[in-house]
Each structure stands twice: as structure tokens, then as C-alpha cells.
């Protein structure tokens, strides 16, 4: 276990953050970590329902519904989980087309006209919308939820005018994250003035502020670690606020350090020593000793490689959190366990 994983923190590292963006290489656990972080942030209220977190997804894949084992999440905020102390996690699948219609409604009072536009297929999103516009709609909707507290009742529907304590975004992967968040430069060639420009400016005000943190999920493997380092550099160059590194699926270390080094060397652990240890339980036959020596060598080599990856990650100078590999997969019990870990380590 690293220091990050063993230190107990009384206070979260980022109490001022209201938008947690979770990115990382594909398949490393972004959706899982975003869900666990939302649960961790939702806990700790003084009374049930006091803390309310919104979890958003932007890629139209219904990952959140799968994670929380609920019906597909519509373009509408839905409660998907309640913590043991009554904190609430709500989920929203943001869809660019729906966000556009809402946006037209809000700015141009084009309700029926927008619906007609859609009916006639004039807004054929998949093929016609510029990626920059799509992104500003997705981030715009997210930032609207983030800003709600500071502007109560401003410009959103009467039925879902909740204030959230924080918003967690299950974001696009590392390779696309800077472009996705940097909507200003994305729309600069498309809209120099007008409402889209204003929207992009409002989004950038939230995204570049201390209210936002972009966290990276990684495994202790070469590719995701390299992507994490590149992602940090890119975000920093774009003036976007970085958060922590979440090392996911960390495997337990079962040998003490001096043994590890020895086990990793050619020849590995001393067979005589192993034999002496195994004899009392009647397992000291050469086959078992040989198999265990090989296993210990494999374990040791992996642990040492992982230590190297951890060192690489330290170059980000970001806070590090570490989540265990859950042998049974990620069900609700597992997700709660990950949430507790994130809380214990100060991520929430
Ligand atoms: N700590 C963990 N222990 C065990 N399994 C895990 C852990 N974290 C994630 N997984 C599993 O790994 C798989 C990928 O996780 P997840 O879907 O969260 O990744 P992702 O980064 O969101 O992927 P994608 O890039 O496809 O969106 C899932 O099957 C998930 O249940
Ligand atoms: Mg995902």
C-alpha cells in the first residue's frame, strides 16, 4: 500500500470543487470511479437528503444505468442511489440534440418551432453538427447544473430545479478530454458573437475556475500511465484545472519488500526456505515448492513494475488515490466499498 492509500484524512482534499470531471484511458474504470465518487460525495450530510450529487454522462452509452442497475437514464434527472445516511445520487444522460432543443427554447422561445425542426429532420445531429457545437451543448448543460446554486431558479424547468452540492461527470477518455473541455477554442472559428459564443464563455468560466477539477483514472500499466501523463500536460497547457490520479484495480502486495526483491531475481526465493515453511503443513514436495517459487517471481516482478508506474505518476504532482481490484466485479456492494475508500483517502 502506498502512503496515499494508507493515510486517513479528516477533510476532503477539494471542498471547494463543485464539478468533478472523471477521465482516463478507455476501459480503466471512468464510469465506475465517477459513480463511486458521486456516492462518496453524497455521504456525510447531517440529515437524509441534505446532500445531493448529480452524476452526468455525455457519451450516450447508458453506462450509469448499467452501473446502478436501473432503467436507462433519460434526458431528465433521476435518482439512482441513496447512501446509508440518506445522501442522494441523481443521474442525467446528457444528449446533445435534447440539449440543443432546450437551449433554443431558453434563448429563442422556439419551443414548437424547434420541435418542428426536429420532426422534419432539419437537425440531423449525427452528420451535420460541428463537434465544437456538440461539445458546448454537453458541457453547457453540465455547467448549468453546477451554476444552479449561485442562481436559484434561474432559467430551468420548474420540476427539476434542484440545487446539487456537486456534479460528477463521466467524461470522454483522455485522448479527447482537452478538446472536449476547451470549448472556447472549439467554437472560436464557428461563433465569434451571439448566444453560442456567450454559452462557450459561460462554460469556460466554470471549467477554468477552482470549482472544477479533472481527475484521471489509470491502471498501473504503461499505456494508461503514459496517457495520464500526456493528459495532465495537455490540460495544464490549456489552462484547465487538474485534480487527482485514481489508480484503479490495484492488486494487493503479499510479500514484504526484502522478499519481493529477492523473489524477482533469477533463482527467486530460496527453495530451502520455502520448503522449511511448507513442511509443517505437509506441502513441501518439489512440485509445490517449484510452483510457488514461480508464482512468487511473477508477483514480485509485477509489483516492482507497478512501483515504477507509480513513480512515473508522481511526476504529475497530483494527489493519488488507490482503489482495489474487486474480485467479484463491481456490484452495489463493491461500489460502496470503492466510495468508502475514496472518502477515507480524502478524494471526497
Ligand atoms: N476496482 C475494480 N475492480 C474490479 N473491476 C472493476 C474495477 N473498476 C472497474 N472494473 C470493471 O472494469 C470494467 C471497465 O470499467 P468501466 O466501465 O468503469 O470503465 P470505463 O473507463 O468507463 O470504460 P469505457 O472507456 O468503455 O467507458 C467494468 O467491467 C467494471 O466493472
Ligand atoms: Mg465508461
Amino acid at each position: 500500500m502506498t502512503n496515499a492509500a494508507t493515510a486517513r484524512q479528516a477533510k476532503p482534499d477539494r471542498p471547494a470543487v463543485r464539478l468533478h470531471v472523471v477521465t482516463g484511458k478507455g476501459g480503466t474504470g471512468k464510469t465506475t470511479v465517477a459513480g463511486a465518487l458521486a456516492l462518496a460525495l453524497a455521504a456525510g450530510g447531517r440529515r437524509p437528503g441534505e446532500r445531493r450529487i448529480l452524476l452526468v454522462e455525455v457519451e450516450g452509452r447508458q453506462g450509469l444505468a448499467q452501473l446502478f442497475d436501473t432503467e436507462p437514464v433519460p434526458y431528465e434527472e433521476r435518482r439512482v442511489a441513496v447512501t446509508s445516511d440518506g445522501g442522494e445520487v441523481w443521474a442525467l444522460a446528457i444528449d446533445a440534440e435534447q440539449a440543443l432543443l432546450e437551449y433554443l427554447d431558453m434563448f429563442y422561445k422556439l419551443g414548437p418551432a424547434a420541435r418542428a425542426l426536429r420532426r422534419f429532420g432539419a437537425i440531423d445531429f449525427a452528420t451535420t453538427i460541428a463537434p465544437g457545437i456538440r461539445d458546448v451543448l454537453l458541457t453547457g448543460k453540465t455547467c448549468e447544473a453546477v451554476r444552479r446554486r449561485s442562481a436559484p431558479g434561474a432559467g430551468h424547468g420548474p420540476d427539476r430545479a434542484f440545487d446539487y452540492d456537486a456534479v460528477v461527470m463521466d467524461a470522454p477518455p483522455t485522448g479527447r478530454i482537452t478538446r472536449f473541455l476547451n470549448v472556447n477554442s472549439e467554437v472560436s472559428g464557428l461563433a465569434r458573437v451571439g448566444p453560442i459564443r456567450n454559452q462557450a464563455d459561460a462554460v469556460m468560466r466554470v471549467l477554468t475556475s477552482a470549482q472544477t477539477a479533472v481527475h484521471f483514472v489509470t491502471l498501473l500499466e504503461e499505456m494508461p500511465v503514459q496517457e495520464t501523463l500526456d493528459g495532465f500536460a495537455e490540460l495544464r497547457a490549456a489552462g484547465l484545472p487538474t485534480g487527482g490520479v485514481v489508480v484503479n484495480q490495484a492488486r494487493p502486495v503479499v510479500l514484504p519488500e526484502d522478499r519481493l526483491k529477492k523473489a524477482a531475481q533469477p533463482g527467486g526465493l530460496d527453495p530451502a526456505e520455502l520448503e522449511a515453511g511448507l513442511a509443517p503443513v505437509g506441502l513441501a514436495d518439489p512440485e509445490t515448492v517449484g510452483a510457488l517459487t514461480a508464482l512468487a517471481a511473477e508477483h514480485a516482478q509485477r509489483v516492482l513494475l507497478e512501483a515504477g508506474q507509480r513513480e512515473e505518476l508522481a511526476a504529475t504532482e497530483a494527489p493519488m488515490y488507490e482503489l482495489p481490484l474487486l474480485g467479484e466485479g463491481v456490484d452495489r456492494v463493491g461500489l460502496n466499498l470503492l466510495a468508502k475508500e475514496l472518502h477515507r483517502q480524502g478524494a471526497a
Side-chain angles (χ1 to χ4, degrees):
M1 285 265 165
T2 62
N3 290 341
T6 48
R8 181 179 294 269
Q9 302 220 356
K11 288 212 178 94
D13 291 339
R14 295 175 204 79
V17 169
R18 306 230 317 119
L19 174 59
H20 296 266
V21 177
V22 180
T23 184
K25 182 173 168 13
T28 53
K30 295 180 294 296
T31 304
T32 306
V33 170
L37 184 60
L39 282 170
L41 291 164
R46 279 160 303 179
R47 53 188 164 72
E50 188 190 52
R51 289 191 61 77
R52 198 184 277 135
I53 307 299
L54 181 66
L55 187 49
V56 302
E57 68 180 322
V58 293
E59 301 210 287
R61 294 178 29 203
Q62 290 295 334
L64 299 181
Q66 249 180 47
L67 184 69
F68 287 96
D69 203 14
T70 62
E71 299 279 296
V73 189
Y75 187 69
E76 184 184 287
E77 290 148 42
R78 289 271 174 93
R79 195 174 70 184
V80 290
V82 180
T83 63
S84 58
D85 60 0
E88 297 181 354
V89 175
W90 289 64
L92 170 68
I94 303 181
D95 173 83
E97 187 180 12
Q98 298 275 346
L100 177 65
L101 293 178
E102 189 180 88
Y103 179 77
L104 292 174
D105 229 7
M106 214 150 63
F107 285 91
Y108 302 107
K109 308 274 175 273
L110 277 184
R115 274 190 289 280
L117 270 179
R118 181 155 70 151
R119 208 166 39 244
F120 298 125
I123 306 172
D124 188 351
F125 259 56
T127 53
T128 58
I129 194 166
I133 301 288
R134 173 184 286 270
D135 291 352
V136 81
L137 289 165
L138 298 171
T139 51
K141 178 66 186 171
T142 308
C143 290
E144 180 264 320
V146 174
R147 285 194 308 260
R148 264 180 224 169
R149 186 149 70 174
S150 45
H156 42 83
D159 47 343
R160 287 287 173 244
F162 276 163
D163 284 355
Y164 292 97
D165 295 279
V167 177
V168 179
M169 179 194 274
D170 178 11
T174 333
R176 285 193 277 127
I177 191 67
T178 306
R179 239 185 129 176
F180 177 73
L181 296 177
N182 206 1
V183 290
N184 233 347
S185 64
E186 282 291 278
V187 304
S188 65
L190 300 161
R192 288 185 203 287
V193 290
I196 289 280
R197 174 80 263 166
N198 296 342
Q199 172 87 338
D201 290 342
V203 165
M204 287 315 287
R205 272 196 296 279
V206 173
L207 292 184
T208 56
S209 77
Q211 286 186 86
T212 298
V214 183
H215 309 292
F216 288 77
V217 181
T218 185
L219 309 178
L220 287 175
E221 292 168 10
E222 207 169 309
M223 290 270 288
V225 165
Q226 190 55 50
E227 278 202 21
T228 302
L229 298 177
D230 295 346
F232 261 86
E234 265 182 48
L235 275 183
R236 284 179 173 149
L240 291 161
T242 54
V245 173
V246 181
V247 169
N248 191 25
Q249 307 189 16
R251 269 160 279 211
V253 179
V254 298
L255 286 173
E257 203 174 325
D258 54 331
R259 293 298 163 91
L260 270 179
K261 292 217 171 95
K262 192 141 187 272
Q265 281 160 15
L269 292 177
D270 181 0
E273 205 185 346
L274 260 180
E275 239 176 276
L278 290 168
V281 287
L283 287 173
D285 61 285
E287 213 170 303
T288 307
V289 170
L292 278 175
T293 311
L295 265 182
E298 201 183 296
H299 171 73
Q301 278 150 13
R302 201 199 69 228
V303 170
L304 293 176
L305 276 178
E306 289 188 350
Q309 297 301 328
R310 250 190 223 98
E311 255 169 58
E312 300 261 328
L313 288 171
T316 60
E317 295 182 355
M320 288 233 253
Y321 312 103
E322 206 156 311
L323 296 177
L325 173 74
L326 302 175
E328 310 283 304
V330 186
D331 56 6
R332 273 307 300 278
V333 176
L335 202 58
N336 284 337
L337 199 143
L338 299 180
K340 282 213 175 69
E341 267 309 305
L342 287 174
H343 173 68
R344 191 179 68 79
Q345 294 174 36

